[in-house]
Amino acid sequence: MSQSETKERILEAALEQFTARGYRTTSMREIAEQVGLTKPTLYHYFRSKSEIIQQLLDPLLDSLDAALEHPETFLERCVDTMVGRRRVLTLLLRDTTVYAEEEQLATRVVSWMERANALLAGPEASWPERIRAAQALAAVADPLVLSMPVGDAVLKGELLRGARLLLAGGREGR
């Protein structure tokens, strides 16, 4: 097995453990055992649990950051990213110990949310428009922690429809 395949197996095992048991309570030993490695071998691939969580979260957060660079398609890109990386997003939404343990992560997520809200609400937004923008972001992310018995395309369409309704103040359109 190649080094990149082993790294992917470690990341997959870590995501499973973090989601099932929590980030704080999962040990490097447990991750190593799930993959069939010794703890020293695991440390050859990742120096710390913090490095593992960073490698799990960076693709999601980098993609969300990139979506901000495209105001005209931001919402669609955001939905695509969140649906495509829903397992990692679920970890972020369900396990607040990740933020307590990884302070830079909390800062990055809050900064993204502020920028995304400003983009969705618009530069001259009223307070009700800012509230609806925040609700629209939550309407996209929050349902993804639930098991949805539909395909990604249907799910994306419904998430976009709901977010657009909120942004339009409850009226169809926008």
Side-chain angles (χ1 to χ4, degrees):
M1 181 174 312
S2 73
Q3 281 203 340
S4 64
E5 290 172 330
T6 302
K7 275 186 112 163
E8 283 305 312
R9 287 183 55 226
I10 293 167
L11 291 171
E12 181 62 31
L15 182 57
E16 285 178 26
Q17 289 287 328
F18 295 159
T19 302
R21 302 189 64 249
Y23 177 69
R24 178 177 281 166
T25 57
T26 299
S27 69
M28 292 290 275
R29 179 189 52 77
E30 291 164 327
I31 295 168
E33 285 174 0
Q34 184 169 337
V35 180
L37 301 173
T38 64
K39 193 172 166 185
T41 302
L42 176 62
Y43 280 106
H44 168 76
Y45 290 95
F46 295 99
R47 292 178 301 233
S48 65
K49 210 166 52 164
S50 182
E51 187 178 335
I52 292 173
I53 196 75
Q54 182 179 348
Q55 288 212 13
L56 285 169
L57 298 175
D58 277 351
L60 167 69
L61 299 173
D62 290 347
S63 187
L64 290 172
D65 283 342
L68 289 167
E69 303 300 320
H70 303 275
E72 64 287 344
T73 59
F74 167 73
L75 194 56
E76 292 82 1
R77 288 171 183 260
C78 187
V79 169
D80 283 344
T81 295
M82 289 182 179
V83 169
R85 299 187 183 278
R86 75 180 112 197
R87 290 180 61 222
V88 175
L89 181 67
T90 296
L91 174 63
L92 277 179
L93 294 174
R94 284 189 177 167
D95 188 357
T96 58
T97 66
V98 174
Y99 298 106
E101 298 280 323
E102 304 295 329
E103 290 179 33
Q104 292 177 349
L105 172 64
T107 301
R108 185 174 180 190
V109 169
V110 168
S111 172
W112 180 85
M113 290 182 72
E114 289 171 346
R115 292 178 294 144
N117 186 277
L119 180 66
L120 285 176
E124 303 296 322
S126 64
W127 67 265
E129 290 168 322
R130 290 193 310 269
I131 287 172
R132 284 194 303 275
Q135 289 172 320
L137 286 171
V140 169
D142 291 354
L144 292 173
V145 303
L146 304 172
S147 228
M148 297 289 163
V150 297
D152 285 358
V154 172
L155 181 57
K156 288 175 187 179
E158 191 58 25
L159 292 171
L160 281 169
R161 190 179 77 72
R164 287 180 178 135
L165 277 169
L166 285 162
L167 290 169
R171 299 176 304 277
E172 287 285 346
R174 191 164 179 184

